[in-house]
Every structure is written in structure tokens, then in C-alpha cells.
Amino acid sequence: MSTTETKEPPKAKPPPKAKPPEKPEETAPTFEKSITDNIKNHFGDDVQVEYIKENRTRINVPKEKIYDIAKFIKDQTPFDHAESVTGVDFPDDKEIGVTYHLGSYTDPEYAKQVLALGTRVPREESPNPGNDSTKLTSLRDMFYSVEFHEREVFEMLGVYFEGHPDNRRLLLPEDWADLPPLRKDFKNKGR
């Protein structure tokens, strides 16, 4: 009796998985990049470009340099007003971020552009207008439109704007003694 071994045919290997197409490297819009390049070329490492998008750019600067960089932007570019000033509490980083959104009324080419000029200040547990670390130089003498915005960031987040001509509270009572209400650790008592 003879036995013959039958070999099974080799199993076909599955075709290699198709690799997803590589994403093309995003290139910054030329006009917007020229705006940030102009500022960065003048101030070097003091300017960190966070993003460059069509009609929107953001740069971050040290709090000690915000006045000088804002003055350069006001004097050397068509950005002639601040559309808003915002603040964000970053308790884990022990900082408060302040961002000025700058725009232009006078130059049609810049009319759609918004340049976000951001910085961060140390976050003190109990804000005090006499505490140097929670101070930020006011941009009110350059951009009149920040007058009420800076007051709001002061009372809601505790950032004192040095050189602001009217540091009275805007929405809260003058005798407010609690944490600023937009700090993440603020607790509304009695509710």
C-alpha cells in the first residue's frame, strides 16, 4: 500500500493594505504670513506664531513685551483698532491668558484680517491690584476701544491693567471681595 502525500497549495497572501494618501503639508496663506513675518522679523524670539490661517493669525508674546509689540503693530501695520479683548483662566498652568483681537478700518486689504495678539500673566490665588505679577500694561492709549474690555477682564479674571485711566469695576459692585467670577475655582455662594 502506498501512501501519497498530497500537499495543499500555498495560501495566497492578502494584498498589502493601501496606505492612506499623505496629507499635503499645509502652507500658510502668503498675505497672512507676511503680516506675522514682519512682526517676527522685528522682535525675533519674543514673538511665537501660534497659527496662520486665511484672514486669521495669532501671535503670542511675553507680558513684558506686549506694549512694545502692540505699538509696533499700531505704528507699522494697518491694524488700527482692537475689536475685543478676551481672557481665559488656566488654573492648571497657574496663568491667565489675555488676547487682543486687532483689525483695520482704514485699509481695505486688511479689512477682513484679524490679528490675535496674546499673552499670559501669572495667576495669583487671591488677586490684588498691588501684586506685580498679575499686572499687564494697558493698551488703552494705543487702542481706545479696549477701555471697557480691559475693565471687564480686570474684574472678571483679576488681571490689573497698569496705566488704564479708569480701573473702576464695570459690572460688579465696587466692594466685590470674592474671587473674580470667571475664574474656574469661583463658587457662587448661596445657590
Side-chain angles (χ1 to χ4, degrees):
M1 190 169 196
S2 75
T3 59
T4 57
E5 287 185 31
T6 56
K7 291 185 180 179
E8 290 184 24
K11 292 183 181 178
K13 292 183 181 176
K17 291 183 180 179
K19 292 182 181 176
E22 290 185 26
K23 292 181 181 177
E25 190 174 308
E26 288 187 37
T27 56
T30 306
F31 182 76
E32 288 79 355
K33 187 168 179 349
S34 71
I35 295 168
T36 58
D37 285 350
N38 180 27
I39 301 165
K40 189 154 178 61
N41 288 341
H42 195 271
F43 290 96
D45 291 340
D46 286 332
V47 173
Q48 301 301 316
V49 178
E50 185 171 323
Y51 61 80
I52 302 172
K53 299 177 182 177
E54 185 176 354
N55 298 326
R56 300 287 182 269
T57 53
R58 180 182 172 97
I59 60 173
N60 297 315
V61 302
K63 75 175 193 148
E64 299 81 16
K65 296 286 186 171
I66 194 155
Y67 186 87
D68 295 335
I69 293 171
K71 183 158 180 38
F72 175 83
I73 292 169
K74 174 80 160 111
D75 294 345
Q76 302 297 322
T77 73
F79 292 106
D80 54 21
H81 72 281
E83 296 175 357
S84 65
V85 181
T86 59
V88 177
D89 185 16
F90 296 101
D92 294 341
D93 297 338
K94 294 184 173 28
E95 293 179 322
I96 296 175
V98 177
T99 303
Y100 293 85
H101 300 94
L102 308 177
S104 177
Y105 288 134
T106 56
D107 188 325
E109 194 173 20
Y110 281 73
K112 291 182 180 180
Q113 298 295 323
V114 176
L115 171 62
L117 172 63
T119 193
R120 286 191 177 196
V121 296
R123 179 190 194 273
E124 296 299 323
E125 292 307 315
S126 53
N128 176 348
N131 186 333
D132 285 340
S133 64
T134 57
K135 289 183 180 179
L136 187 61
T137 302
S138 174
L139 301 186
R140 163 53 174 72
D141 63 338
M142 273 180 281
F143 302 112
Y144 183 83
S145 57
V146 306
E147 182 160 353
F148 290 102
H149 298 287
E150 286 183 347
R151 284 175 63 189
E152 183 180 16
V153 171
F154 160 63
E155 73 178 342
M156 294 296 163
L157 288 160
V159 178
Y160 184 82
F161 290 89
E162 205 168 34
H164 192 286
D166 187 5
N167 273 310
R168 289 177 299 132
R169 295 205 180 274
L170 182 63
L171 302 170
L172 298 174
E174 276 297 319
D175 61 351
W176 182 266
D178 203 345
L179 279 175
L182 290 183
R183 294 248 181 134
K184 292 185 178 168
D185 51 351
F186 173 76
K187 302 286 188 245
N188 192 0
K189 295 175 178 117
R191 294 195 185 235

